[in-house]
């Protein structure tokens, strides 16, 4: 079921990871989960940039034109979905180094459910103040990392000590992916594909 494990990942994450590992609903369920949950950051970014306005320091809020905002939201959605798939592939690729032999479906489940808190915290964009978004983002990242560290030993069927190192490697890869996405964004902005502000 799409989003079926959502409550459990917040209420009792370790037990929920065991349920996910036991059920293995298939790659279709993981893809559906990713495609649905990745809509949240894109949708809330669009709403806040067009209708509410971003406050960066003192002064009037900044608004984007609807056309510019929809283009950036679509690009964000594609980048988030691609990022989850890339993280899943990296997890799968590294698994043999740590004595694990998962399927790509297991790696995709791990990436999809680990990214969920980070995507859900985008609801904070309804109050688009930089300091508030930073705090909310840190909470989302912290819980995503916690889910990763608890989920790796269970889904990958390895001891917790080895799982800690494996999860740390995945976090490192995730940071590299994030920096790559940010760098790509800067390059595109310099090529003239940046935001268009509404006056």
């Amino acid at each position: 079921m799409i989003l079926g494990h959502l409550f459990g990942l917040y209420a009792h994450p370790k037990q929920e990871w065991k349920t996910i590992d036991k059920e293995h609903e298939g790659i279709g369920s993981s893809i559906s989960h990713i495609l649905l949950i990745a809509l949240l950051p894109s949708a809330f970014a669009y709403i806040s940039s067009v209708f509410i306005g971003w406050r960066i320091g003192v002064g009037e809020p900044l608004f984007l034109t609807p056309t510019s905002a929809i283009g950036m939201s679509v690009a964000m959605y594609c980048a988030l979905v691609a990022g989850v798939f890339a993280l899943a592939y990296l997890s799968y690729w590294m698994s043999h180094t740590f004595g694990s032999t998962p399927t790509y479906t297991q790696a995709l489940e791990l990436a999809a459910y680990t990214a969920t808190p980070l995507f859900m915290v985008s609801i904070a964009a309804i109050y688009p103040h930089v300091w508030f978004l930073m705090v909310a983002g840190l909470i989302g990242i912290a819980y995503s990392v916690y889910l990763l560290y608890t989920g790796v030993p269970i889904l990958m069927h390895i001891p917790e000590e080895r799982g800690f190192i494996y999860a740390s490697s995945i976090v490192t890869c995730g940071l590299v992916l994030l920096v790559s996405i940010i760098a790509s964004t800067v390059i595109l902005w310099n090529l003239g594909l940046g935001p268009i502000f509404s006056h």
Side-chain angles (χ1 to χ4, degrees):
M1 184 195 313
I2 300 174
L3 305 180
H5 300 287
L6 204 54
F7 176 75
L9 286 171
Y10 289 100
H12 41 77
K14 284 191 177 181
Q15 293 90 326
E16 199 62 33
W17 278 125
K18 290 175 183 175
T19 304
I20 292 167
D21 182 51
K22 187 169 70 174
E23 292 178 356
H24 283 307
E25 295 171 344
I27 198 164
S29 179
S30 297
I31 291 172
S32 300
H33 179 88
I34 295 164
L35 294 177
L36 189 60
I37 208 78
L39 283 171
L40 292 177
S42 306
F44 284 113
Y46 177 83
I47 291 167
S48 62
S49 62
V50 173
F51 301 108
I52 302 171
W54 286 73
R55 292 193 175 272
I56 303 172
V58 183
E60 293 297 313
L62 300 173
F63 294 88
L64 296 182
T65 63
T67 306
S68 177
I70 196 73
M72 295 188 77
S73 296
V74 169
M76 176 193 284
Y77 180 76
C78 294
L80 292 174
V81 171
V84 173
F85 278 97
L87 192 61
Y89 177 75
L90 289 169
S91 304
Y92 176 72
W93 177 70
M94 288 189 299
S95 61
H96 301 291
T97 307
F98 297 95
S100 176
T101 54
T103 63
Y104 182 73
T105 301
Q106 286 171 271
L108 190 60
E109 285 175 335
L110 179 70
Y113 291 116
T114 296
T116 298
L118 191 55
F119 290 177
M120 290 189 70
V121 82
S122 64
I123 295 169
I126 292 297
Y127 186 69
H129 289 251
V130 174
W131 63 268
F132 180 71
L133 293 172
M134 284 180 62
V135 171
L138 285 173
I139 291 170
I141 289 171
Y143 200 74
S144 285
V145 170
Y146 171 73
L147 282 181
L148 180 65
Y149 278 97
T150 55
V152 162
I154 296 168
L155 278 188
M156 300 301 172
H157 305 133
I158 55 177
E160 286 196 12
E161 308 79 45
R162 205 181 305 158
F164 181 83
I165 300 169
Y166 187 4
S168 299
S169 301
I170 296 172
V171 168
T172 304
C173 289
L175 290 173
V176 171
L177 280 171
L178 181 62
V179 170
S180 301
I181 291 171
I182 292 170
S184 301
T185 303
V186 171
I187 291 168
L188 289 173
W189 284 18
N190 285 333
L191 292 174
L193 299 174
I196 300 170
F197 295 98
S198 172
H199 301 290

